[in-house]
Amino acid sequence: MKKLFGVIGDPISHSMSPAMHNDLFTAYSLDAHYQPFHISRGNLTDAIKGFRAMGIAGFNVTVPHKEAIIPLLDELDPLAEAIGAVNTVVNQDGKLIGYNTDGSGYVKGLLNQKQPIKNKKVLIVGAGGAARAIYFTIAKEGPELLDICNRTPKRAEQIINDCPFQIQAQVLSRQDAEESLETYDLIVQTTSIGMHPEIGHSPLSIHKLKPGAFVSDIIYNPLETKLLMEAAEKGAGIQNGIDMFVYQGALAFEMWTGIGPDIERMRHKVLNQLGGLSC
């Protein structure tokens, strides 16, 4: 019997996960299908009841359900519980277990770029759900410094206070971050600023970027945001959001199937899908 997997969100039509995962099911000759489900906020509880009834094998969770789904699950992985958000659910013998692969996927992608984190000075831009997952996972790797720049200090302070790992950290305004940018070895941009169609915007000025710094933006449409273009012009190493997207998906696929998938195949599929978008 064909196993059913999927992704829930609102909106969801833009998701590249179905193409990526269905390609993997074909590659590994698995009798399975991955389906996008457009679920509004008000229908989330009923949707999860429906998933239980039809025995869905696993699913991904995207905006705006990553936090709201938690009380509807049977169990949480400790990291997902600490982060307070779930992006992957596994059906284990009828028990729905929530995980968060966003932070782990991000770090795997960063390490794949030969960018070690230990003893580095890192600045996170933004304090949303993705920032929280990335912050906790980077903190576990032992950076020397892990600061957050955000428009509203309260959200950033909450992330630092909730982090289960002891780390030197402070909250910075945009102006303070720009003036002290030469401090940081790694800058991680986690907001939607610069995403298509608002491609002419950048979350901060990098006129004081440290020589040899690495700038990472989790946006992948466009493939090179204004922030990344400016960083490249200053000679910095850059990374877009493809790595995070692919690696978090690979972790979910392995949880569901026990197979560690071909990362380069996944990357190629996603880039092909993006080729059909206005980047």
Side-chain angles (χ1 to χ4, degrees):
M1 181 178 176
K2 188 184 289 289
K3 287 187 175 181
L4 178 64
F5 298 87
V7 56
I8 64 172
D10 182 17
I12 201 61
S13 60
H14 67 287
S15 177
M16 292 181 293
S17 293
M20 183 173 71
H21 284 290
N22 283 322
D23 179 66
L24 290 175
F25 291 147
T26 300
Y28 294 106
S29 301
L30 299 176
D31 190 17
H33 178 72
Y34 188 103
Q35 176 72 29
F37 295 94
H38 183 190
I39 309 296
S40 65
R41 290 178 187 268
N43 291 328
L44 181 61
T45 299
D46 288 340
I48 301 307
K49 287 179 181 177
F51 282 177
R52 289 182 185 275
M54 63 184 174
I56 193 168
F59 58 97
N60 289 126
V61 184
T62 188
V63 176
H65 304 311
K66 291 186 178 186
E67 297 175 6
I69 197 172
I70 288 176
L72 305 177
L73 302 176
D74 300 305
E75 189 176 312
L76 283 184
D77 171 75
L79 180 60
E81 185 172 14
I83 293 170
V86 163
N87 80 326
T88 300
V89 176
V90 177
N91 187 337
Q92 189 177 90
D93 301 321
K95 183 192 297 183
L96 298 184
I97 305 173
Y99 297 85
N100 192 306
T101 66
D102 281 336
S104 300
Y106 176 78
V107 168
K108 279 182 175 289
L110 192 65
L111 296 177
N112 185 58
Q113 295 289 331
K114 305 294 188 292
Q115 291 298 318
I117 297 168
K118 190 173 179 61
N119 298 326
K120 297 295 184 180
K121 295 177 180 178
V122 184
L123 175 68
I124 305 282
V125 181
R132 187 177 173 93
I134 291 170
Y135 189 94
F136 284 17
T137 315
I138 286 180
K140 187 179 180 181
E141 297 293 317
E144 179 182 335
L145 182 68
L146 185 54
D147 292 343
I148 305 179
C149 165
N150 195 52
R151 287 179 300 176
T152 53
K154 188 175 180 180
R155 286 182 66 93
E157 289 165 0
Q158 192 68 54
I159 292 175
I160 292 172
N161 292 337
D162 290 347
C163 183
F165 308 103
Q166 292 296 315
I167 199 78
Q168 183 180 342
Q170 63 177 329
V171 177
L172 301 175
S173 67
R174 172 175 174 165
Q175 183 178 352
D176 288 341
E178 289 174 346
E179 289 302 313
S180 60
L181 209 60
E182 59 193 2
T183 301
Y184 302 101
D185 306 298
L186 169 64
I187 292 120
V188 184
Q189 201 294 110
T190 70
T191 77
S192 61
I193 299 172
M195 184 183 293
H196 181 82
E198 304 294 333
I199 60 175
H201 299 281
S202 178
L204 77 169
S205 168
I206 57 169
H207 63 284
K208 289 193 174 182
L209 187 67
K210 178 180 180 178
F214 192 83
V215 180
S216 176
D217 194 326
I218 70 170
I219 291 171
Y220 51 76
N221 184 21
L223 289 172
E224 195 169 277
T225 59
K226 182 180 180 181
L227 175 70
L228 293 185
M229 286 190 284
E230 291 176 345
E233 288 171 1
K234 293 181 74 67
I238 62 172
Q239 176 194 43
N240 63 28
I242 294 291
D243 282 337
M244 177 179 172
F245 179 74
V246 167
Y247 276 97
Q248 64 83 23
L251 289 168
F253 187 85
E254 187 168 3
M255 288 176 186
W256 295 329
T257 67
I259 298 170
D262 183 339
I263 296 294
E264 288 311 308
R265 183 186 182 100
M266 296 172 73
R267 189 193 312 278
H268 182 71
K269 188 66 179 180
V270 171
L271 288 171
N272 275 350
Q273 289 294 111
L274 282 170
L277 299 176
S278 298
C279 294

